[in-house]
């Protein structure tokens, strides 16, 4: 009955209650929508990095990542790759041979990291093939094609079909070199990557270095959806035995930090909104308590103890907040849900963003956990807002309150 | 059987420099089934006295013994439950919770007492019927006349099965017709449930109905008379 009294009490002063409910709703809507917007932005950025550079999971020989020793390879790479390919949710597995080398053009030379890949298979893991801005992805050059980044092409002053020479140390530490022709020039959002990473066929690299045909330094795995990451990761770990299995979060802590930082900022933002709303609710609840002094006195006289009076006031405040909160969350979530398929167009301001690797079109991303957390935070705000007014109500002396003026 | 025993009850209010002896040494007993009126001019201490009987206002000295227990020795937490279970209140106004219907107002107090739902429902019906408002069970107080609201207040006061009912100027806001019928109804309840009623009033019509009239002035009893009615 106390719950129902509290709920009905809200509607005694409809205008005042609606004003506060709508302020809460607007505040929460703003919070929920911006959270979804910025999360969408961060997710898109991360997705791009996963798709072009990182892939979801990588396998290396232990210690390989520390010293990148060419001899420290996974001997049974092909067998492992084949097994992983069988796993559910896995959409692509690419086996890579990696080696530091010098890449020289007619004019100058630059240190690069060569990735020996199977072009068709690599396309099932990363989207390098879609990042080609000049020439073609391993097409158009018969012998020894190489795909390099735009930044590097500028540095070496080479074009499509230009000849470049790779110089490297093979497994026996002999210096060897091979001539390649630029088949395609790619461009990602990451200049450093574009400048240092080049791709050739793994068969060419094997020939050049006498590398075991089934071995690999790196196995990159693509999956169907990010929510399956931990599932696939644990299965891969089982298969991979003593090899080092890392997901993108571990491979690129700064990208992981981006999501986490974004999440924290959003909560700070929402807390600031709630703090502003808090004072509005306190004010409303204080008015409520003042107005109902006599009624509260009567209730205390006839048997409502302090705990019940307190509960009644706190419930009224919670219901007020939660009603506004739910309206805000629902509208915010629906708008953000719409934004998941209908992106926000930032192209007017996007030039700066694009240089930082963000898209001009932002698809919002709603985090259900955040919606639950915001609901809880709204409820807590309601409780906090009620504390002082409820304390005032308890100070009420029934004999005093009921004396007729 | 004595319902209330009052021993040398005093209440002094300190308002700045001035001390007001609102109640100045009252000793009196009330029996089960009494229909008594405390009368006196304005400021004579009626409300103060009633509030001390009802456990709402702490006396400066003296005792209020109800059912063998000195009310003012109870902890404030116990006092609230004691009031709920032993005393019914009818005030001049603000008796009812405006957002609850007449029926819910009556039922509410029984719910606070922890009475089972079924019993509550039956008793609510019975009481509203007794005060002549069975058909208004679902009306909110705002939709009732002043007299009807006071009737609901009486039903509410009776609901907790109190040892006695305290009514401070229950008719002050009512017209003559409503006053008469409210008084008749209360007299009937008094007979029917043998519940003690104690009024504070200057209303002649209340005095005409009362079977005991206690006059007070300056916080002291002037006279205490009983009538057969
Ligand atoms: N809270 C208070 N503080 C100070 N003085 C008070 C307080 N309450 C009552 N008094 C004083 O105590 C005296 C008795 O007041 P009380 O209200 O009991 O009289 P009453 O007989 O009920 O009067 P009325 O018929 O007007 O209701 C009055 O002089 C009043 O001014
Ligand atoms: Mg009075």
């Amino acid at each position: 009955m106390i719950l129902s009294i509290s709920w009905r009490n809200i509607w005694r002063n409809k205008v005042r209650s609606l004003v506060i409910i709508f302020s809460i709703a607007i505040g929460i809507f703003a919070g929920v929508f911006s959270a979804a917007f910025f999360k969408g932005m961060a997710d898109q950025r991360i997705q791009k990095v996963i798709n072009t550079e990182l892939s979801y999971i990588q396998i290396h020989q232990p210690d390989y990542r520390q010293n990148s020793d060419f001899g420290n390879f996974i001997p049974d790479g092909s067998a492992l790759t084949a097994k992983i390919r069988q796993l559910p949710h896995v959409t692509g597995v690419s086996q890579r041979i990696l080696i530091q080398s010098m890449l020289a053009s007619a004019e100058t030379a630059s240190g690069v990291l060569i990735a020996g890949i199977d072009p068709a298979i690599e396309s099932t893991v990363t989207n390098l093939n879609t990042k080609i801005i000049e020439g073609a992805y391993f097409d158009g050059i018969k012998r020894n094609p190489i795909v390099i980044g735009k930044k590097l092409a500028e540095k070496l002053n080479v074009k499509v079909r230009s000849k470049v020479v790779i110089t490297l140390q093979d497994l026996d530490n002999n210096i060897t070199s091979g001539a390649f022709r630029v088949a395609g020039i790619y461009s990602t959002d990451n200049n450093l990557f574009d400048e240092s990473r080049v791709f050739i066929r793994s068969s060419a690299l094997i020939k050049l270095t006498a590398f075991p045909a089934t071995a690999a330094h790196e196995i990159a795995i693509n999956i169907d959806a990010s929510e399956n990451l931990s599932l696939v990761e644990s299965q891969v770990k089982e298969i991979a035995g003593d090899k080092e299995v890392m997901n993108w979060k571990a491979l690129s802590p700064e990208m992981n930090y981006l999501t986490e930082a974004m999440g924290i900022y959003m909560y700070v933002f929402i807390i600031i909104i709630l703090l502003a709303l808090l004072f509005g609710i306190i004010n409303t609840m204080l008015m409520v308590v003042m107005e109902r002094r006599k009624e509260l006195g009567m209730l205390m006289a006839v048997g409502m103890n302090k705990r019940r009076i307190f509960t009644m006031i706190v419930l009224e405040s919670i219901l007020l907040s939660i009603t506004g909160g739910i309206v805000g969350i629902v509208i915010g979530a629906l708008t953000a849900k719409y934004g998941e398929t209908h992106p926000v167009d930032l192209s007017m301001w996007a030039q700066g963003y694009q240089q930082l690797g963000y898209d001009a079109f932002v698809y919002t991303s709603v985090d259900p956990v955040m919606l639950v957390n915001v609901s809880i935070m709204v409820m807590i705000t309601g409780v906090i807002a009620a504390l002082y007014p409820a304390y005032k109500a308890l100070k009420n002396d029934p004999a005093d309150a009921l004396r007729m003026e | 059987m004595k319902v209330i025993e009052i021993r040398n009850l005093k209440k002094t209010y300190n308002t700045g420099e001035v001390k007001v002896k609102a109640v100045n040494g009252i000793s009196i007993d009330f029996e089960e089934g009494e229909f008594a009126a405390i009368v006196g001019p304005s400021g004579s201490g009626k409300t103060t006295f009633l509030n001390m009987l009802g456990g709402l206002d702490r006396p400066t000295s003296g005792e209020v013994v109800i059912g063998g227990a000195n009310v003012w020795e109870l902890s404030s937490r116990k006092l609230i439950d004691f009031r709920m279970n032993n005393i019914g209140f009818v005030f001049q106004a603000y008796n009812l919770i405006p957002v609850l219907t007449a029926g819910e107002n009556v039922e509410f107090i029984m719910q606070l007492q922890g009475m089972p739902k079924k019993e509550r429902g039956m008793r609510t019906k019975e009481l509203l019927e007794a005060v002549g408002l069975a058909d208004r069970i679902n009306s909110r107080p705002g939709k009732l006349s002043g007299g009807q609201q006071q009737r609901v207040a009486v039903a509410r006061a009776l609901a907790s099965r109190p040892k006695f009912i305290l009514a401070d100027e229950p008719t002050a806001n009512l017209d003559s017709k409503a006053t008469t019928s409210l008084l008749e109804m209360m007299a009937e309840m008094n007979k029917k449930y043998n519940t003690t009623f104690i009024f504070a009033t200057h209303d002649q019509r209340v005095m005409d109905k009362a079977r005991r009239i206690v006059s007070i002035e300056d916080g002291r009893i002037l006279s205490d008379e009983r009538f057969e009615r």
Side-chain angles (χ1 to χ4, degrees), chain A residues 1-2 5 8-9 12 294-295 298-305 308 397-399 402-404, chain B residues 13 47-48 56 80 83-84 89 91-92 94-100 104 108-109 111-112 140 156:
Chain A
M1 184 99 72
I2 289 181
I5 293 176
R8 294 187 206 173
N9 271 339
R12 279 165 82 165
K294 287 188 185 293
E295 193 180 314
M298 179 274 291
L299 286 170
M300 286 165 118
V302 303
M304 283 270 267
N305 57 27
R308 284 171 171 145
D397 174 27
L402 283 162
R403 259 178 202 282
M404 297 301 301
Chain B
Y13 287 113
T47 297
T48 309
L56 296 175
I80 292 180
R83 281 203 301 258
M84 175 170 74
F89 291 92
F91 304 103
Q92 182 178 334
Y94 300 102
N95 269 302
L96 304 174
I97 306 174
V99 295
L100 296 186
E104 287 167 336
F108 182 55
I109 193 119
Q111 194 182 18
L112 293 183
R140 292 216 184 167
R156 197 268 317 272

Side-chain angles (χ1 to χ4, degrees), chain A residues 399-400 403-404, chain B residues 11-15 20-23 40-51 57 92 168-169 200-202 216:
Chain A
D400 237 22
R403 259 178 202 282
M404 297 301 301
Chain B
K11 176 77 183 186
T12 310
Y13 287 113
N14 290 315
T15 30
V20 181
K21 291 185 172 173
V23 170
S42 185
S44 56
K46 304 184 293 294
T47 297
T48 309
F49 177 62
L50 227 57
N51 283 347
D57 207 359
Q92 182 178 334
D168 193 358
E169 318 261 12
T201 188
H202 9 233
I216 62 173

Side-chain angles (χ1 to χ4, degrees), chain B residues 2 15 42 46 61-62 79 94 108 120 135 138 178 189-190 213 218:
Chain B
K2 287 196 179 77
T15 30
S42 185
K46 304 184 293 294
S61 67
L79 183 60
Y94 300 102
F108 182 55
R120 279 187 339 237
D135 55 332
N138 290 320
M189 295 297 112
N190 168 249
I213 295 182
D218 295 333

Side-chain angles (χ1 to χ4, degrees), chain A residues 64-81:
Chain A
Y64 176 79
R65 277 167 48 85
Q66 271 80 53
N67 33 38
S68 310
D69 184 359
F70 189 57
N72 189 14
F73 51 79
I74 305 167
D76 51 351
S78 299
L80 187 55
T81 302

Side-chain angles (χ1 to χ4, degrees), chain A residues 258-379:
Chain A
L258 177 69
T259 355
E260 282 175 7
M262 201 64 104
I264 291 167
Y265 292 150
M266 279 346 290
Y267 280 114
V268 170
F269 180 55
I270 289 169
I271 286 171
I272 291 170
I273 293 177
L274 286 174
L275 215 58
L277 293 171
L278 180 72
F279 290 97
I281 308 171
I282 291 179
N283 185 45
T284 305
M285 291 313 295
L286 270 178
M287 285 205 269
V288 160
V289 168
M290 300 299 171
E291 276 170 11
R292 298 193 202 141
R293 228 169 73 83
K294 287 188 185 293
E295 193 180 314
L296 287 168
M298 179 274 291
L299 286 170
M300 286 165 118
V302 303
M304 283 270 267
N305 57 27
K306 299 206 169 194
R307 191 169 47 83
R308 284 171 171 145
I309 297 275
F310 186 84
T311 310
M312 188 175 78
I313 305 280
V314 170
L315 273 179
E316 184 166 341
S317 174
I318 291 179
L319 289 172
L320 197 63
S321 319
I322 267 294
T323 308
I326 286 172
V327 173
I329 286 171
V330 167
I331 298 175
L334 287 178
T335 318
K337 203 85 202 156
Y338 179 80
E340 283 184 356
T341 46
H342 301 73
V344 182
D345 184 358
L346 285 186
S347 47
M348 266 168 77
W349 309 281
Q351 281 180 337
Y353 286 117
Q354 271 169 322
Q355 272 158 21
L356 294 170
Y358 292 96
D359 280 336
F361 291 93
V362 177
Y363 291 86
T364 55
S365 164
V366 186
D367 179 5
V369 175
M370 195 210 62
L371 295 183
V372 173
N373 286 345
V374 170
S375 313
I376 294 169
M377 283 157 70
V378 170
M379 202 137 101

